[in-house]
Amino acid sequence: MEGPTPVSALIHAATMVTAGVFLIIRCSPLFECVPSVLTFIVIIGAATAFMAATSGLLQNDLKKVIAYSTCSQLGYMIFVCGLSGYTASLFHLSTHAFFKALLFLSAGAVIHAVAGEQDMRKFGGLARMLPYTYAAFFVGSIALMGVPFLSGFYSKDLILEVAGGSASVTSDFAYTLGLISAFFTSFYSFRLLYLAFYGESRTSRLPLEHTHELTPRMATALLVLAFGSVFLGILGRDIFVGPGTDF
């Protein structure tokens, strides 16, 4: 869906695109009555995680890479619901909301800084000109990858643990595609960072003249989301999935 980056951040983070996942979690007693439907959910979710990750590998539009990433992460949330890991799914939904909103708003800051350009092949070297935006983008990207001790690590690894620990053909299928998708996620995230922020600038002269860092209001929003991207996993893991929790 095309839209301004604040709208995309809101839609992709915790409202519209995650509504289906939340609906499955809320209706879990009904799904548990029909094992064949749970198997179908696992297959669809794992295939979605894989297919969307492969699509994200080859995109050159900054926002489209992040959008396909959302679709891939939704696949993780869906297939773990099919394995009856509803709390793990909700945990990933919550952590994902922070780092995906951070990525979209950081992308908006980049696009705003380079006069509306969205093709990553025309960026390069922006880390020197936009250090704060780069820092926010970097935090969001490594949280998405599942780097240890950031929020994505606690929730995404838990989903893969649930898949790996469930003894069935469909869970093995989901675990395998989940692992491959996690590798693809790391690849397209590093590709995005490299094309946009590293190397020599490939930006034409006109956008370079307008390049500027974030306003204080924009910077504050990114700071709040960066805090959640780093600490929500470690602060929320006992609430969501800790021993004895009735969440």
Side-chain angles (χ1 to χ4, degrees), residues 9 97-99 101-103 105 139 220-230:
F98 279 89
F99 53 76
L102 177 62
L103 283 171
L105 289 182
V139 168
T220 303
L222 294 190
L223 187 63
V224 172
L225 292 170
F227 182 86
S229 301
V230 175

Side-chain angles (χ1 to χ4, degrees), residues 12-239:
H12 285 255
T15 52
M16 194 178 78
V17 300
T18 51
V21 179
F22 189 70
L23 187 62
I24 293 175
I25 295 168
R26 293 289 287 177
C27 297
S28 54
L30 297 176
F31 284 101
E32 287 299 311
C33 296
V34 195
S36 57
V37 172
L38 289 177
T39 302
F40 179 72
I41 288 173
V42 173
I43 293 168
I44 292 296
T48 300
F50 177 76
M51 291 297 291
T54 58
S55 300
L57 289 174
L58 302 172
Q59 298 298 319
N60 293 312
D61 186 305
L62 183 65
K63 285 173 65 180
K64 285 185 180 179
V65 175
I66 306 172
Y68 276 112
S69 163
T70 302
C71 196
S72 181
Q73 298 308 304
L74 286 173
Y76 280 95
M77 298 174 208
I78 292 288
F79 83 64
V80 79
C81 285
L83 298 170
S84 301
Y86 302 104
T87 48
S89 180
L90 189 60
F91 188 25
H92 192 51
L93 192 157
S94 303
T95 58
H96 171 264
F98 279 89
F99 53 76
K100 190 50 57 73
L102 177 62
L103 283 171
F104 262 113
L105 289 182
S106 300
V110 171
I111 294 165
H112 184 64
V114 293
E117 181 59 66
Q118 292 184 206
D119 192 334
M120 297 187 298
R121 295 169 296 183
K122 297 179 182 177
F123 291 166
L126 291 177
R128 296 187 296 275
M129 292 175 271
L130 307 169
Y132 188 94
T133 305
Y134 164 66
F137 222 117
F138 186 79
V139 168
S141 295
I142 61 175
L144 170 64
M145 292 176 212
V147 169
F149 311 118
L150 274 75
S151 58
F153 165 74
Y154 289 98
S155 56
K156 196 157 81 169
D157 263 33
L158 180 65
I159 289 175
L160 292 172
E161 278 182 45
V162 170
S166 304
S168 70
V169 175
T170 50
S171 66
D172 290 343
F173 172 76
Y175 181 62
T176 303
L177 288 189
L179 279 180
I180 297 169
S181 302
F183 171 76
F184 286 165
T185 301
S186 300
F187 183 87
Y188 65 64
S189 296
F190 269 120
R191 175 176 175 266
L192 191 157
L193 282 171
Y194 180 79
L195 286 176
F197 294 103
Y198 301 135
E200 294 301 315
S201 176
R202 299 178 297 279
T203 313
S204 60
R205 185 177 165 187
L206 182 64
L208 275 179
E209 290 173 354
H210 292 89
T211 301
H212 58 281
E213 191 51 284
L214 296 167
T215 63
R217 185 181 296 180
M218 293 162 73
T220 303
L222 294 190
L223 187 63
V224 172
L225 292 170
F227 182 86
S229 301
V230 175
F231 295 111
L232 185 66
I234 197 165
L235 295 175
R237 70 192 195 284
D238 289 333
I239 300 169

